[in-house]
C-alpha cells in the first residue's frame, strides 16, 4: 500500500482520510465506497484510495493532469477503479452525478475558485443525501505569514496578515488563504458537521530539506511531530494548510 507522495507534507491528511474511509466502510456496511476527488490532478490521493479497494472519480480541469492520473493508476494496477473526467467545482454536475458519492475530497480547490462558498456547496451536494464524508484541504493563512517573516519579507508578511484574501502581494501565486475559523464557517454553512480540524505542514515548509535528509531518523521524527501538533489549535493557526473532516447530518440525529 502506497501513501501519497511527499509523505512529510501529506502524512497527516492521509492518516485522517484513511481512518475516515475505514469508518465509512464500517457504518455503511459496504467494502467498496464511491469516492469523488475534485481537483484531484494526477491522483496523489486518488490512487492510494483506489488501492484500498474503492472506486474513485477524479474531476480536474487539466487534460495533462488527467493523463498523468491515467498513467499513475495503470502503474499501480488500479486503472479499473479510477476514472478521470475534465471539469471543475462550479460545473461539477455537468460531469458527475449529484448525490452519488460516499466520500468527497476537495483538496486545493477553494483557494482558486471565484466563489468558495458556491464551489463547496456543489462539492457537498455530490454526497449521498443524509450520508457521507467530506475531506477539505486548503491553504492556511498563518503558515504564509510565518514563511514570509522568516524569509525577512516583513512587509509582505503584514500584507498577508491584514489583507482580505491572505495574499502578500501582486506576485503571490496563491489567490486566497483561510484561517481555521473561516474554513469551518464555510463547511458549517453547507449543513455538514465538522468532526475534526488538523493543521498540515506546520513545520515541514520551514525546516531546510538538507537537515531532514542528513539526520538519522529525521524524516520519521518530523512526521511524528507534525502529527502531534496537527490537532492543537495553536499550531493549526500557523499551518501552511488546513484539513477539515466533516460528516453529513443524519435526519433525526
Amino acid at each position: 500500500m502506497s501513501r501519497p507522495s511527499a509523505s512529510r507534507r501529506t502524512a497527516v491528511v492521509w492518516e485522517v482520510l484513511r481512518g475516515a474511509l475505514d469508518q465509512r466502510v464500517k457504518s455503511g456496511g459496504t467494502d467498496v465506497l464511491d469516492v469523488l476527488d475534485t481537483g484531484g490532478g494526477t491522483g496523489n490521493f486518488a490512487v492510494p484510495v483506489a488501492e484500498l479497494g474503492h472506486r474513485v472519480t477524479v474531476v480536474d480541469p487539466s487534460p495533462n493532469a488527467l493523463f498523468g492520473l491515467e498513467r499513475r493508476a495503470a502503474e499501480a494496477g488500479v486503472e479499473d477503479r479510477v476514472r478521470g473526467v475534465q471539469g471543475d467545482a462550479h460545473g461539477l454536475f455537468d460531469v458527475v452525478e449529484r448525490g452519488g458519492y460516499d466520500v468527497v475530497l476537495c483538496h486545493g480547490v477553494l483557494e482558486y475558485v471565484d466563489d468558495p462558498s458556491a464551489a463547496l456547496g456543489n462539492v457537498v451536494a455530490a454526497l449521498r443525501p443524509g450520508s457521507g464524508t467530506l475531506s477539505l484541504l486548503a491553504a492556511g493563512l498563518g503558515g504564509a505569514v510565518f514563511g514570509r517573516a522568516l524569509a525577512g519579507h516583513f512587509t509582505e508578511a503584514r500584507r498577508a496578515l491584514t489583507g482580505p484574501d491572505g495574499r502578500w502581494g501582486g506576485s503571490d501565486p496563491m489567490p486566497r488563504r483561510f484561517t481555521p475559523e473561516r474554513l469551518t464557517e464555510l463547511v458549517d454553512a453547507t449543513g455538514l458537521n465538522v468532526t475534526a480540524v488538523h493543521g498540515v505542514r506546520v513545520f515541514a515548509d520551514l525546516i531546510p530539506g538538507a537537515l531532514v535528509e542528513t539526520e538519522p531518523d529525521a524524516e520519521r521524527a518530523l512526521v511524528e511531530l507534525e502529527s502531534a501538533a496537527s490537532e492543537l489549535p495553536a499550531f493549526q493557526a500557523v499551518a501552511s494548510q488546513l484539513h477539515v473532516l466533516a460528516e453529513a447530518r443524519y435526519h433525526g440525529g
Side-chain angles (χ1 to χ4, degrees), residues 88-108:
D88 57 33
H90 283 299
L92 190 59
F93 301 119
D94 294 335
V95 293
V96 301
E97 178 187 359
R98 183 185 296 268
Y101 297 89
D102 303 293
V103 178
V104 175
L105 280 56
C106 183
H107 294 175

Side-chain angles (χ1 to χ4, degrees), residues 20-229:
L21 292 166
D22 290 345
Q23 185 59 42
R24 180 55 53 190
V25 165
K26 292 175 184 176
S27 64
T30 178
D31 292 333
V32 180
L33 301 173
D34 288 306
V35 179
L36 176 65
D37 188 354
T38 59
T42 60
N44 189 32
F45 282 91
V47 169
V49 169
E51 287 182 292
L52 293 174
H54 305 302
R55 293 182 293 262
V56 187
T57 299
V58 175
V59 176
D60 197 277
S62 168
N64 290 336
L66 294 174
F67 178 76
L69 167 71
E70 184 178 349
R71 183 173 55 194
R72 179 181 283 186
E75 290 172 352
V78 295
E79 63 271 27
D80 59 328
R81 294 196 293 274
V82 176
R83 179 174 72 102
V85 292
Q86 190 173 358
D88 57 33
H90 283 299
L92 190 59
F93 301 119
D94 294 335
V95 293
V96 301
E97 178 187 359
R98 183 185 296 268
Y101 297 89
D102 303 293
V103 178
V104 175
L105 280 56
C106 183
H107 294 175
V109 173
L110 296 192
E111 300 95 324
Y112 297 98
V113 296
D114 292 334
D115 187 341
S117 180
L120 186 58
N122 265 3
V123 168
V124 169
L127 290 171
R128 301 195 194 282
S131 175
T133 300
L134 168 71
S135 173
L136 175 64
L137 183 67
L141 171 63
V145 174
F146 263 82
R148 300 317 288 173
L150 291 177
H153 303 299
F154 307 121
T155 299
E156 291 179 351
R158 181 177 55 80
R159 286 177 185 156
L161 181 63
T162 58
D165 292 320
R167 304 183 74 239
W168 43 257
S171 59
D172 189 341
M174 187 65 67
R176 186 181 296 105
R177 296 184 178 89
F178 300 88
T179 63
E181 294 78 13
R182 176 56 181 152
L183 205 58
T184 55
E185 284 173 4
L186 286 170
V187 176
D188 285 338
T190 69
L192 297 185
N193 281 326
V194 173
T195 58
V197 179
H198 291 84
V200 181
R201 290 161 49 191
V202 176
F203 307 102
D205 291 353
L206 303 177
I207 297 172
L211 180 63
V212 178
E213 293 161 5
T214 57
E215 291 294 322
D217 296 325
E219 178 83 20
R220 175 188 55 79
L222 178 55
V223 169
E224 291 175 352
L225 176 62
E226 290 277 358
S227 179

